Amino acid sequence: QVQLVQSGGGLVQAGGSLRLSCAASGRTIRYYHMGWFRQAPGKEREFVAAITSSAITYSADSVNGRFTISRDNAKNTVYLQMNSLKPEDTAVYYCASQLSKSNNRWSVVGSWGQGTQVTVSS
């Protein structure tokens, strides 16, 4: 079982940038599709971005062009670079391992990180 520990996040003004990290332990993630989700207050958790084991990336329309997911298999870590942040990006962000895609929808088969708060002020 993979354990995921997140870091980064915090408070930033609109238009600013943040980078989230997700360090995995327990086994290598190089063969897994990895991703990020977020949950805003009163809303369901939603897909943000995914990166396949071949480093092909996908992102939600709401963050496309602003957020970039990447991975460093040597460090067993996945990143989410968030630029041009907006107040509506405020949420708790979760990384996840072993994503799968079916009917154009991503789901998580593996582990979740502990979550990290991102707050964007206007």
Side-chain angles (χ1 to χ4, degrees):
Q1 185 80 349
V2 175
Q3 291 82 44
L4 303 175
V5 176
Q6 300 176 216
S7 59
L11 174 64
V12 66
Q13 288 188 332
S17 298
L18 285 172
R19 187 174 85 153
L20 304 182
S21 300
C22 176
S25 62
R27 62 175 60 182
T28 180
I29 60 169
R30 72 170 58 242
Y31 305 112
Y32 294 159
H33 304 336
M34 302 291 292
W36 291 91
F37 293 74
R38 68 186 181 186
Q39 187 166 18
K43 295 187 176 181
E44 293 187 352
R45 193 171 298 187
E46 64 175 4
F47 168 76
V48 175
I51 184 165
T52 71
S53 56
S54 303
I56 298 170
T57 61
Y58 301 84
S59 58
D61 290 343
S62 59
V63 306
N64 203 22
R66 300 186 298 120
F67 290 12
T68 302
I69 187 172
S70 61
R71 65 192 300 159
D72 185 338
N73 289 333
K75 294 182 177 180
N76 226 30
T77 301
V78 177
Y79 304 96
L80 184 68
Q81 177 67 42
M82 304 182 291
N83 298 328
S84 301
L85 282 159
K86 304 175 181 180
E88 50 264 44
D89 295 319
T90 296
V92 177
Y93 284 71
Y94 298 89
C95 68
S97 68
Q98 294 181 267
L99 272 64
S100 66
K101 191 176 183 182
S102 177
N103 295 328
N104 213 34
R105 187 176 180 89
W106 290 94
S107 60
V108 176
V109 179
S111 306
W112 291 92
Q114 82 275 20
T116 186
Q117 178 70 46
V118 171
T119 303
V120 185
S121 63
S122 58

